[in-house]
Amino acid sequence: MMGPLLISIYVFVLAIFVGFEVITKVPPTLHTPLMSGANAISGITIVGAFYTAQTGNVALSNILGCLAIILATVNVVGGFMVTDRMLKMFGQKRKR
Amino acid sequence: MSPASSPSVTATLVPILYLVSAVVFIFGIKGLTKVRTARRGNLLAAGAMLLAIVATLIDLGTIDYRWILAGLVIGGLIGSIAAVKVEMTGMPEMVALFNGCGGGASVLVATAYLWYRVVEPAADGTPAALLGADSAVSSVLSILIGAVTLTGSLVAYLKLRGWIFGRRISGQPILLPGRHVINALVGLVALGAGLAAMFLPTGFGLAPLIIVAALASLVLGVLLVLPIGGADMPVVISLLNSYSGLAASATGFVLNNNLLIISGALVGASGLILTQIMCVAMNRTLGNVLFGGFGGEASAGGGGASSEYTNVKSYGAEDAALVLESAESVVFVPGYGLAVAQAQHVVRELADLLIERRVKVTYGIHPVAGRMPGHMNVLLAEADVPYEQLLEMDTINPEFKETDVVIVVGANDVVNPAAEKTPGSPIYGMPILKVYEAQTVMMIKRSLSAGFAGIKNELFEYDNTIMLFGDGKKMLQDMLAEVKAAG
């Protein structure tokens, strides 16, 4: 009935809608943290990079895969950490 | 999805873990939309990422981990050092760089996948037949979007930083003649070469075609962001953020991985929402921001050179402090100049002193003040300003009439009454902070020079406006000292 491509497209379109529904009316205070947090999530490509770097060969695919893992990890680790740093500053205010 | 190596248990377990991860991502992003839950939301998202990584390693089973480990260690070190070291004032640059990394990773994954599956095994036939036409076409899209994100973010980074190879570059748009035609051609080359690579037999030069597609896409990213000026950066950064998500989604289509598709789509949606908010705040369409080259050519129609001012009252810190002493309510309006002068801490000190003296102090934040969405909020949060004091444009605007003193620090276009009163002005129709309605407006500015829009600001000539010329931080420090001395 439904090919894998069609299922993927369904998933994609529905996920976009979920995204819109979940994120509507984000307050301006959180624009930057939302952006940098979401950005860290886009580093999910790291998962794809693993598949292309799974042998010990010294081949272009492995080198590119390793580079991809480096970039994605920078994005993920840096992104989540820097977002946390920002949000910690927002949180402190309420204790004062 | 990995070839062989998966016994039936992991074949079911891994997709379930991916599903859990996707759901936790959604909760994480939802958390990021409320101040109270934001920190937890970010941690949830990080946890979901970890789960996704673990699930993938389970899926891969026994493999050679050397390349993967090397990548994780190097990337983790760079990322964590960057995250700890960056100053809050350097946040727009950092976000742009991380964004570029996300796009770069997508290009590399798609390219590496093509090499791993088609080029290196030297398979016969067309990649579209070998991988499936959907995977093949998606990999071209992944390369295209990822590469545009990568170089577009790098150009944005350089524009935000303001210098390259030791030379200052201006935030002004760089407009090439016939740039729309050039962009369209480069885009067509990228897409054409990519699709040709996928649908021609591998013998036709698969590798060179992919490289041409990737290079053309990288060039396209540069060309697309070069014509966009500094003050439009909030829109560009939001849009690039969205692209990095779409690139991840495209990679998901390549690998047939729903987790990538879902998380990428979430990021894509969040970037689009921010882009939309930024465009509304400037009363401009996305097309106008992307293709308009605003600011470079607009000044001609702005009416009068920006240096022609009459009836400008210039005060010193001492006089300003006198005015402040009789004020009962003060609103600070920060702009990009606040970030440049790093004046956020002095602003907060002055605010604290005024609050001690029972003055009502708030901050009016324009949505596009600064160089990224929420830029001012982050800066002021760093200076320990309670976020409850930061008021959005719609909340603060009705209050200006009852405000004694507005102190504008390094903002210009977002308080320019021309947006309301001068049809034909390039910024006409843009929602502004109505500071001119206040009893007194203090503009802290280096000179009478125009803002990004390159147009005159009549507010400087209003009877209730006083100009405080000088560096923002220095001027505020002087005012702080004067107010203290007077108390």
Side-chain angles (χ1 to χ4, degrees), chain B residues 222-311:
Chain B
V222 175
L223 290 176
L224 285 176
V225 180
L226 267 186
I228 301 177
D232 287 342
M233 278 301 147
V235 183
V236 176
I237 297 216
S238 311
L239 193 66
L240 288 169
N241 187 219
S242 176
Y243 285 174
S244 75
L246 295 180
S249 259
T251 312
F253 278 95
V254 177
L255 302 171
N256 253 319
N257 183 321
N258 281 335
L259 177 61
L260 262 73
I261 295 177
I262 296 172
S263 352
L266 292 174
V267 180
S270 114
L272 277 180
I273 289 178
L274 284 177
T275 309
Q276 169 74 9
I277 295 175
M278 295 302 118
C279 283
V280 169
M282 299 204 290
N283 187 38
R284 295 172 56 198
T285 61
L286 184 57
N288 181 267
V289 174
L290 293 184
F291 305 118
F294 188 80
E297 5 187 21
S299 50
S306 52
S307 55
E308 294 166 12
Y309 284 96
T310 52
N311 185 31

Side-chain angles (χ1 to χ4, degrees), chain B residues 299 303-309 412 448-451 454-457 460-461:
Chain B
S299 50
S306 52
S307 55
E308 294 166 12
Y309 284 96
N412 190 350
L448 283 171
S449 64
I455 51 169
K456 181 173 174 170
N457 192 341
F460 301 172
E461 295 179 334

Side-chain angles (χ1 to χ4, degrees), chain B residues 307-353:
Chain B
S307 55
E308 294 166 12
Y309 284 96
T310 52
N311 185 31
V312 168
K313 286 186 291 297
S314 169
Y315 274 40
E318 199 182 336
D319 309 314
L322 275 176
V323 178
L324 269 184
E325 265 161 48
S326 55
E328 284 173 11
S329 54
V330 171
V331 177
F332 286 95
V333 172
Y336 181 53
L338 176 92
V340 175
Q342 305 243 16
Q344 67 272 29
H345 296 279
V346 198
V347 166
R348 202 257 306 142
E349 279 178 56
L350 182 57
D352 280 354
L353 185 61

Side-chain angles (χ1 to χ4, degrees), chain B residues 172-187:
Chain B
Q172 290 298 311
I174 298 165
L175 302 174
L176 300 172
R179 61 184 190 281
H180 300 317
V181 180
I182 298 175
N183 290 354
L185 284 178
V186 175

